[in-house]
Amino acid sequence: MGHHPVVVAEAAAELKASGVGAGGTRNISGTHPGIIALERAIAKAIGKACALVFTSGYVANETALQVLGRMLPGVVILSDEKNHASMIEGMRLARCERVIFRHNDAAHLEEILRQFPRERPKIIAFESVYSMEGDFAPIHSICDLARKYQAFTYLDETHAVGLYGLKGGGVAQEIQATQRIDVIQGGLGKGYGTIGGFVAASQLIIDTIRSFGPGFIFTTALPPHCAAAATHSVRWLSHSSEERALHREVVASTKEALRKRQIPFHDGGTHIIPIQVGDSRLCQAMADYLLFERGIYIQPINYPTVPRGTERLRVTPTPFHTPEMIEALCEALAAARGEAVASRMVA
Ligand SMILES: Cc1ncc(COP(=O)(O)O)c(C=O)c1O
C-alpha cells in the first residue's frame, strides 16, 4: 500500500497543499482536518464508535495501556507472555499489578483469573497475530473468559489490520468478535504501508485516553500528508478485498512450495511463516547467503527477540510475490543451510 498510486497521489497532493509538518501537538494547533478524517476512516473500518491516532503503533500501545492501568482503580492486567515490547512498556508505566499468562493458553489465563475477586477490575491484553510465532490468538475463548470473569479486553491488531476482515478491520472482524473486544489497537505502518498507530473503542474510552495519555498530549501530531496517505490506504482496503485475496493465495502457494521441498516451518495459519533454524550463527549465515548469493532478503530472528535455541528465518509473503519468486525462494532455502556450513560462514 506504500506504493499504491492512490495513496501516493493523495499524500503528494496534501504535501503540496499543507507542507511537511503538523505544526504542533494535537491540543495546540496540531489537530488538522486530515487527522480527523483518518480517525473517522479507522473507526469505520474497524467497526468501533471512535478512534484516536498516534504517531506510531508503539506510542498507541504505550499510551493506551498506561492510561487504562492508571484510571481503573486497583486494576490487574493479565498479559500474554509473547506480547510486544510497546504493550509491556505501557503496562510498566501504568504501575498496576500485572500477571503473565502462557502464550495463547486460555486454561492458564482462567487459572489466574480465578484467583482474583470478581469485583476487582481486570484487563486482558493480547495480540491477534503474533509476528514472531506466526500464530493467531484464541480470541473467542479469551472473550468467553473475559465475560465470565468480568474483564476488559485489549487487543493489538498491528499485524492484522488491512490484512484480515471484510473491511480490513483485523482478525476480530474476520471472526465476528469486534464487539467482544473493548479496545482494538492497530498500526498504520505495516499492512497499510504508511506511518502511525491508533486505538479504536467506545467514545468514553477514547475520550479517557485522549484526556490523560502523555503520548497523545505531549508530542507533535502526525503530519497532514501522512494522515492523507493513511486515510486513503485504510479506505481503499475497507472497500477492496482484492489485495487480501491475492495475499492469501500467495501465502498458501508459498507454504505449499515449502512443503513440497520438505523445508520444515511452523504453520500457525497466518501470513507469517517462521522457518526453524535453532542456532543464531547458522540463522545469520543462512540469511547472509540468501541476501548476498541469491538476492533474497529474509529476516533472521535471533535472541533476544526469540529465546535461544529457537532462532528462525521469517518469511512474510506479500500479494506481489510471483510464482517464480516463490520457486526461487524455496530452491535457495533448500540450499542455504548446506551452503552456509560449507562456505565456513558458520564456525
Ligand atoms: C505487535 C506489535 N505491536 C505494536 C508495534 C509497534 O508498531 P509501530 O511500528 O507502528 O510503532 C509492533 C511493531 O513492530 C508490533 O509488532
Side-chain angles (χ1 to χ4, degrees):
M1 293 306 290
H3 286 264
H4 193 285
V6 172
V7 173
V8 173
E10 294 289 344
E14 192 58 46
L15 187 60
K16 284 211 162 159
S18 308
V20 175
T25 64
R26 284 293 298 267
N27 296 335
I28 307 175
S29 81
T31 293
H32 45 84
I35 211 160
I36 300 298
L38 174 58
E39 287 174 340
R40 292 205 176 121
I42 291 168
K44 207 165 158 196
I46 300 292
K48 289 286 184 192
C50 292
L52 197 62
V53 164
F54 296 83
T55 45
S56 74
Y58 187 103
V59 178
N61 269 334
E62 186 198 62
T63 306
L65 280 165
Q66 178 186 170
V67 171
L68 295 170
R70 285 186 182 205
M71 295 305 290
L72 291 165
V75 71
V76 54
I77 306 183
L78 299 107
S79 170
D80 186 287
E81 69 173 319
K82 301 275 185 202
N83 276 345
H84 189 255
S86 54
M87 299 172 81
I88 295 169
E89 196 53 22
M91 292 182 266
R92 195 183 65 78
L93 291 167
R95 287 191 243 131
C96 60
E97 187 176 351
R98 174 163 56 107
V99 186
I100 294 165
F101 61 93
R102 285 194 292 272
H103 176 54
N104 276 352
D105 189 337
H108 188 219
L109 173 62
E110 179 157 26
E111 222 175 89
I112 297 168
L113 280 164
R114 244 191 255 122
Q115 295 166 13
F116 292 98
R118 223 180 151 64
E119 60 284 2
R120 181 153 177 204
K122 304 163 202 84
I123 299 171
I124 303 172
F126 61 120
E127 300 179 21
S128 60
V129 171
Y130 287 87
S131 70
M132 295 301 149
E133 315 304 313
D135 54 9
F136 288 117
I139 296 180
H140 276 301
S141 306
I142 291 178
C143 289
D144 290 344
L145 290 175
R147 190 166 47 191
K148 187 169 170 191
Y149 293 92
Q150 294 183 0
F152 189 96
T153 44
Y154 183 103
L155 182 65
D156 177 322
E157 291 247 38
T158 295
H159 290 277
V161 287
L163 279 71
Y164 296 87
L166 201 58
K167 294 179 171 181
V171 180
Q173 184 172 83
E174 184 146 326
I175 61 169
Q176 281 96 46
T178 305
Q179 299 321 319
R180 307 191 75 194
I181 304 287
D182 294 295
V183 178
I184 292 183
Q185 181 273 359
L188 297 166
K190 300 197 189 290
Y192 289 126
T194 61
I195 182 84
F198 62 86
V199 286
S202 68
Q203 174 99 51
L204 178 66
I205 294 171
I206 292 298
D207 282 345
T208 306
I209 298 169
R210 187 204 315 281
S211 306
F212 296 97
F216 178 82
I217 301 169
F218 300 110
T219 191
T220 302
L222 200 69
H225 63 287
C226 296
T231 302
H232 287 277
S233 184
V234 169
R235 279 193 195 146
W236 185 276
L237 288 177
S238 63
H239 293 119
S240 167
S241 288
E242 209 177 297
E243 294 77 8
R244 277 185 290 279
L246 193 55
H247 191 212
R248 249 156 240 214
E249 269 172 39
V250 176
V251 170
S253 333
T254 308
K255 288 180 180 175
E256 197 184 307
L258 287 168
R259 279 195 191 101
K260 245 188 220 158
R261 291 231 177 219
Q262 296 178 337
I263 297 168
F265 65 92
H266 171 67
D267 188 0
T270 71
H271 61 285
I272 298 167
I273 312 174
I275 296 179
Q276 295 301 341
V277 177
D279 177 276
S280 62
R281 279 193 297 174
L282 179 59
C283 196
Q284 184 63 55
M286 287 171 73
D288 287 347
Y289 168 78
L290 291 169
L291 182 60
F292 298 118
E293 304 297 326
R294 301 296 191 110
I296 298 171
Y297 174 53
I298 296 286
Q299 297 134 3
I301 313 286
N302 287 331
Y303 176 83
T305 308
V306 294
R308 284 198 177 91
T310 69
E311 291 83 357
R312 62 201 71 171
L313 295 169
R314 191 173 63 149
V315 179
T316 48
T318 74
F320 308 108
H321 285 109
T322 62
E324 293 73 33
M325 288 170 169
I326 296 171
E327 190 43 40
L329 167 71
C330 292
E331 197 264 310
L333 274 170
R337 190 181 288 261
E339 290 288 339
V341 174
S343 63
R344 285 182 289 162
M345 287 165 109
V346 188

